[in-house]
Amino acid sequence: MRRILLSTAKILISAALLYLALRKVDLSELFSRFTVTSLFWIGAAITVTFLQIFVGVLRWREISAVCGAPLELGRAMRYNVIGSFFNQTLPSAIGGDAVRLWLVARAGAGWRAATYSIFVDRAIGLIALAILIVASLPWSYTLITDPHGRSALLLIDFLALAGGLGFLVFGALKWRWLKTWWATHHIHACAVIANRVIFSRSRGPIIAILSVLVHVLAVVIAWCVVQSIAAPVRFSDVFLLVPPVMLITMMPISIAGWGVREATMSLAFGFAGLAANEGVNVSLLFGAVSFIVGAFGGLVWILSAEKAAQGSAPIGVPE
C-alpha cells in the first residue's frame, strides 16, 4: 500500500507540475516551428543521447571492476540502454538503476557488488555535476541577475556539493564501528570505494573526464533541441542553465523527471531573463528525446536474453 501511495503521489506531482508548466506554452505555435531541419536536430539529439549512455557505460565499468562486478562492454551498454527504458516507465527518476542492479546481480555478481557499483556510480555523477555547477558560478551570476534565482542556485548546489563531499569524507573515516554497525556498514563501504576510484592515479583521471563529459553531453542534447525549434537561446545560456536543472530533476519525486524538469527549466529561463515558455518548450522536447531513446531500450529489453530467462535462474548473493 505504501508503494502504491508513493507512486500515486509521484504521478500527481508530475501531472500538477506539467499542467502548470504547459499553461505557458502554445503547443500549436510550437509545432508550427518544426521543419525538415528540425528532424535533423532531433535526430542529432537522439544520437548524442546514445553517446551519453555509452560514456556512462565506460564510467560504470571502471567503477564496477573495483566493486567486484566486472562487466563486458556490450553487456554494460545493453543494461544501460534497458535502464533508460525503465527510467521512463517506472515511477522514479532512478527506476533504471534498480533494473540495472537486478540485471548485474542476476548475472552472477550478487546483490552487494551490484548495489555498490550502481550507488557509487550515481554518487560520483552527482559530485561531478555539483563541481561543474560551482566552476560555472562566476558566469552564472552574470547571466542570472534575479536575487532569488542566485540564492536558489547557491542553495541547491551547496546542498549537492556538501552531500557529495560529506560522502567522501565519510569514506575516509577509520572508525571501526562504521564498518560493523548495520546502519553505516554498506554506506561506508560505498564511500570507501568512491574514494578509491576518484583518487586512484590510474582510474581517477578517467573517471573525472567521463563524469564531466556525461553532463556536457546533456547540455549538447539540450542545445540540439534548442536548434530544432530555432529558439533564441545561446549555447552559453544552455551550458549554464541545464546542469542545475538536471541536478534538481534527479530528485525522485516525479515520473522520469516529468513536470519537475519543465517547471524548473521555466524558472531557470525566467531568472536568466529569457522567455519562460521557451524553457518549457526545450524541456518538453528534451523529455521527448529521452522517451524515444527509452522506447528503443524497451525493444532491447523485449529481445534480450535477460527478459527471456527472467525468473528461471536464482541470484547468488555473496557473503
Side-chain angles (χ1 to χ4, degrees), residues 44-267:
I46 293 171
T47 302
V48 177
T49 302
F50 278 111
L51 177 60
Q52 183 191 42
I53 292 175
F54 178 72
V55 172
V57 164
L58 296 180
R59 183 183 69 189
W60 184 32
R61 289 185 71 236
E62 293 288 334
I63 295 169
S64 295
V66 178
C67 294
L71 289 166
E72 302 89 352
L73 181 60
R75 175 181 294 182
M77 184 67 184
R78 186 169 70 253
Y79 288 176
N80 265 24
V81 171
I82 291 172
S84 70
F85 166 67
F86 286 99
N87 273 337
Q88 296 296 317
T89 55
L90 293 181
S92 170
I94 58 173
D97 288 345
V99 173
R100 285 196 297 153
L101 189 159
W102 181 83
L103 289 170
V104 174
R106 194 174 188 279
W111 287 110
R112 181 178 300 175
T115 303
Y116 286 6
S117 73
I118 299 295
F119 189 88
V120 173
D121 183 54
R122 271 284 179 173
I124 290 177
L126 176 63
I127 294 170
L129 182 56
I131 292 174
L132 181 63
I133 297 172
V134 166
S136 62
L137 277 178
W139 297 274
S140 297
Y141 261 44
T142 301
L143 177 64
I144 301 174
T145 57
D146 185 281
H148 298 294
R150 288 180 170 183
S151 299
L153 178 62
L154 273 180
L155 176 62
I156 293 167
D157 191 45
F158 172 77
L159 291 175
L161 192 61
L165 295 180
F167 177 67
L168 295 179
V169 171
F170 186 67
L173 298 177
K174 303 299 183 181
W175 300 330
R176 181 173 297 179
W177 63 269
L178 291 175
K179 302 178 182 180
T180 56
W181 189 33
W182 66 269
T184 59
H185 171 61
H186 294 298
I187 297 177
H188 184 265
C190 288
V192 170
I193 293 171
N195 277 289
R196 189 181 303 158
V197 170
I198 291 174
F199 299 108
S200 166
R201 290 186 178 181
S202 58
R203 285 192 167 94
I206 297 173
I207 293 295
I209 293 171
L210 293 175
S211 297
V212 172
L213 185 56
V214 165
H215 301 308
V216 170
L217 288 174
V219 173
V220 175
I221 295 166
W223 173 244
C224 290
V225 166
V226 166
Q227 292 298 100
S228 72
I229 56 174
V233 182
R234 298 171 299 179
F235 180 81
S236 58
D237 298 335
V238 177
F239 188 88
L240 296 174
L241 296 176
V242 167
V245 171
M246 294 297 103
L247 181 60
I248 296 173
T249 305
M250 291 174 70
M251 296 189 299
I253 60 174
S254 65
I255 305 298
W258 285 99
V260 173
R261 183 180 56 243
E262 284 68 38
T264 307
M265 194 80 84
S266 174
L267 285 174

